[in-house]
Amino acid sequence: MGERPMQKESWGRSSASRGVTAAGRKLLWASFMCSIVLVLQYLAQPASADPVLASSVGFCKPVRLEATAEERDRSVQCCLPAPRRDPKRFQLPRVHHLRVRRPAHELANDVEYVNKYNLAYERMNALPADDPRSFLRQWHTHCSFCKEAYLQRRLNNSATGYPLQLHYSWTFLPWHRMLIYFHEKILGSLIDDPDFTLPFWNWDNQLDATAGQIPQIFLPYQQSTRWPRQHGRHGKIRNTFLYEGKRRNPNHMPPKVLPLTFDASLEKERANWTHDQIRHANLGQVYEMVYNKVSAREYMGGPYDTSSNFTEAVNVTVGESGGSESLHNTAHEWVGMLNNTAYPDNEDMGVFTYAGRDPIFYSHHANVDRLWNVWKALPDKITPDGHRVRRDYDDYDFLETEFTFYDENADMVIVKVKDTLDSRKLGYTYQPMVEADSLWINHKPNGTKPSYKRSDVRVSTSNAIARHPTSFKLTRRAPTAGDLRGTQAQNVNQLSEGVVLEHVRVPELMYVRFDVFLDSPTATAETDEDESAYVGTFTHLPSGVTTVTDLGQKLVHVEDDDMYRTLNIRFSTSLALKRLGVTDWDTDITVTVVPRFRPHGYGWNIKALTFACLRQEFT
Ligand SMILES: [Cu+2]
């Protein structure tokens, strides 16, 4: 296979003892390239990267939709109305009692709640289009900020010239928290209920079989005797707005449960999975993507400041999603119309552009928000120290980042990230789900270890993610005091070990999903994600909109450099290494990337899915 040269590699315990063979020279070259990337990154650091003002004031462009055979230039206008009054600074509310968000599956038959919830949305939907509180504008808020309609600004309001993007970085959690915070406040004000809370879609809950289904409140209620309360003295449930006209995959309705390892290309093969199999895989996935992430960088994503430009071809600062964001992508794909030719745009949930048009979006994000709180309270038990406290970033550029939203009075409010970090200070909390959470916290992956001879391993020397599972060599070393810089670890034993694929070029329009295994060169698409060697999944939602199949006619577009996103993709390795019995720092290992998508039309000889280097990193 021409694009994927493979080399037999000699494996010593120490990389120093390796002879300089042709393969060795290539590997040396690869690590040289890795250091060049790092040096360039360092040199190109602008002297004055500052916190970002994510504002809906100023230049706004329509959001591009990918061309179809019929229409070459398609776009959606999701710019927000200008504020009618001067923006105000956000003030933390005076909290007398905490509002409690409850799980959607437990609220399904609460007639009073569901009717209130539906009425609030009906009223929101009835507001005129120039009202920023209207459902249309709530959807547009997500569409415009998450699809780069606006430009990133400095805190003095001057534009940086870079598109504003609130995914792929540390802004993902705080921005979406405040989006649903104001959304909830507006809904409450429309029904004169200041205590109103959004329900959360508790998809990580594997204790209750209904928790991971599309919650009943988003579906038409059946005339059923199973829920007599619906039609009893409490009246009937009306939920028309919550489902009518929403575009969701009809194959994923209850009793189907959201599989958190969902893989559109394997959907047929996995159709016969038992509920127990799904349940087990789901626990493993939340364990890997939440519990296994100790540092802020691993869970929340990489930094975002005024030097960050995620969409330029030759860029320095690249996007980096945390475990939280990667995990949340799966529910988006599964609810939306992925790979349905009648819905080429994957709407609603399957694409950032339309996700906010489905009310389930706000409940999905409420669970993402809840898991953020849960994550901060998890014990370490992963780093050699074992007692690192999981904390939010404390960088100045993070804390001082500003967002603008419209509040329940239709006023523009400027919120600083530092005011978003404690949900209790914002006046709300979540109903505790201790028993369900503990299932994934205490999950034990299958103990199976792959057996192979190191001397038989063929590692790739080209930095490309290929059609078939590909193994790469990862050179390891012990952490030093220098690795502490920029982290929140108190000492080297608190550092979390990981592997980073640097500067992966991902076509914006391409659905990409791959699994990563350590020291498991025999891993294939059939390998269970719940085995010891698995360290996580990367998922990229097509963020222009098109089906994968449609791309067959549009190869030319992929040549445009601005159609790529450059991302760092990080996997936490401490626990897997422990499980695999790799206890020293000198053992080099293989990293096997198993693609779980079929890029029809792209072919594999594309510039896409190459990366600059693969390296060990401590955070
Ligand atoms: Cu978003």
Side-chain angles (χ1 to χ4, degrees), residues 142 146 167 176:
H142 185 259
C146 295
H167 293 96
H176 286 83

Side-chain angles (χ1 to χ4, degrees), residues 142 146 165-167 172 175-176 179 328 332 352 355 361 365:
H142 185 259
C146 295
Q165 171 56 263
L166 297 172
H167 293 96
F172 171 77
W175 187 82
H176 286 83
L179 174 74
H328 116 289
H332 273 280
F352 295 153
F361 168 83
H365 270 279

Side-chain angles (χ1 to χ4, degrees), residues 105-250:
H105 66 281
E106 288 185 16
L107 287 166
N109 297 306
D110 182 332
V111 182
E112 197 190 335
Y113 178 81
V114 180
N115 286 343
K116 208 161 72 169
Y117 181 54
N118 199 55
L119 178 66
Y121 269 109
E122 273 173 4
R123 290 187 176 162
M124 182 182 257
N125 195 41
L127 293 172
D130 63 351
D131 189 327
R133 301 169 306 159
S134 62
F135 188 68
L136 177 82
R137 299 307 188 173
Q138 293 291 300
W139 152 35
H140 284 176
T141 307
H142 185 259
C143 167
S144 60
F145 282 107
C146 295
K147 279 291 300 172
E148 295 151 9
Y150 290 100
L151 292 178
Q152 197 192 81
R153 306 184 85 81
R154 297 181 188 83
L155 297 189
N156 67 11
N157 214 11
S158 62
T160 64
Y162 293 161
L164 182 62
Q165 171 56 263
L166 297 172
H167 293 96
Y168 313 112
S169 80
W170 66 22
T171 56
F172 171 77
L173 284 170
W175 187 82
H176 286 83
R177 166 168 286 181
M178 295 316 285
L179 174 74
I180 62 172
Y181 172 85
F182 287 111
H183 185 75
E184 182 178 74
K185 285 275 186 191
I186 295 167
L187 289 169
S189 77
L190 292 171
I191 51 170
D192 294 319
D193 180 358
D195 285 337
F196 175 82
T197 50
L198 284 168
F200 62 90
W201 178 19
N202 193 197
W203 37 255
D204 58 296
N205 179 342
Q206 307 302 316
L207 197 63
D208 184 325
T210 61
Q213 300 172 357
I214 289 189
Q216 177 65 54
I217 52 179
F218 300 109
L219 300 167
Y221 277 84
Q222 312 285 323
Q223 298 277 336
S224 166
T225 47
R226 279 173 55 215
W227 304 304
R229 271 180 36 203
Q230 261 182 82
H231 308 296
R233 59 197 166 86
H234 300 284
K236 269 195 168 182
I237 285 184
R238 315 166 36 241
N239 64 335
T240 29
F241 180 74
L242 299 170
Y243 69 89
E244 259 177 18
K246 308 301 177 279
R247 294 173 179 186
R248 303 181 188 132
N249 192 326

Side-chain angles (χ1 to χ4, degrees), residues 38-49:
L38 289 176
V39 169
L40 284 177
Q41 209 161 315
Y42 179 76
L43 290 177
Q45 275 304 323
S48 58

Side-chain angles (χ1 to χ4, degrees), residues 443-619:
H443 179 74
K444 297 272 174 290
N446 286 330
T448 49
K449 286 179 199 168
S451 69
Y452 67 94
K453 272 211 264 171
R454 282 229 158 93
S455 54
D456 289 344
V457 176
R458 292 160 70 83
V459 288
S460 172
T461 51
S462 84
N463 290 346
I465 293 162
R467 180 201 299 264
H468 301 291
T470 310
S471 297
F472 304 93
K473 184 171 178 176
L474 177 69
T475 308
R476 292 174 68 244
R477 63 166 177 81
T480 65
D483 294 311
L484 288 169
R485 203 157 40 115
T487 75
Q488 293 165 303
Q490 311 283 315
N491 58 63
V492 288
N493 285 327
Q494 286 196 349
L495 287 166
S496 181
E497 186 178 355
V499 56
V500 184
L501 291 164
E502 283 244 334
H503 293 200
V504 185
R505 279 163 54 85
V506 179
E508 270 191 56
L509 307 173
M510 192 158 139
Y511 169 66
V512 175
R513 185 176 183 100
F514 58 81
D515 287 346
V516 173
F517 296 87
L518 291 191
D519 236 12
S520 188
T522 50
T524 66
E526 280 73 49
T527 306
D528 188 350
E529 283 108 334
D530 196 42
E531 74 160 69
S532 298
Y534 172 73
V535 287
T537 295
F538 168 76
T539 306
H540 179 256
L541 289 185
S543 80
V545 284
T546 189
T547 58
V548 172
T549 327
D550 275 356
L551 287 170
Q553 300 118 44
K554 294 199 256 63
L555 272 175
V556 60
H557 290 260
V558 187
E559 299 300 316
D560 300 346
D561 275 336
D562 68 343
M563 301 292 278
Y564 287 91
R565 215 173 264 303
T566 309
L567 301 173
N568 285 342
I569 305 174
R570 171 186 306 279
F571 299 93
S572 309
T573 53
S574 303
L575 274 186
L577 288 168
K578 225 186 267 180
R579 290 196 295 265
L580 294 167
V582 179
T583 49
D584 61 15
W585 295 108
D586 303 325
T587 304
D588 295 339
I589 54 168
T590 52
V591 174
T592 302
V593 176
V594 177
R596 290 192 182 272
F597 64 103
R598 293 168 190 156
H600 306 279
Y602 271 95
W604 280 102
N605 55 348
I606 45 170
K607 293 190 281 177
L609 294 179
T610 55
F611 55 91
C613 71
L614 177 140
R615 62 186 175 82
Q616 181 198 34
E617 192 172 76
F618 298 97
T619 58

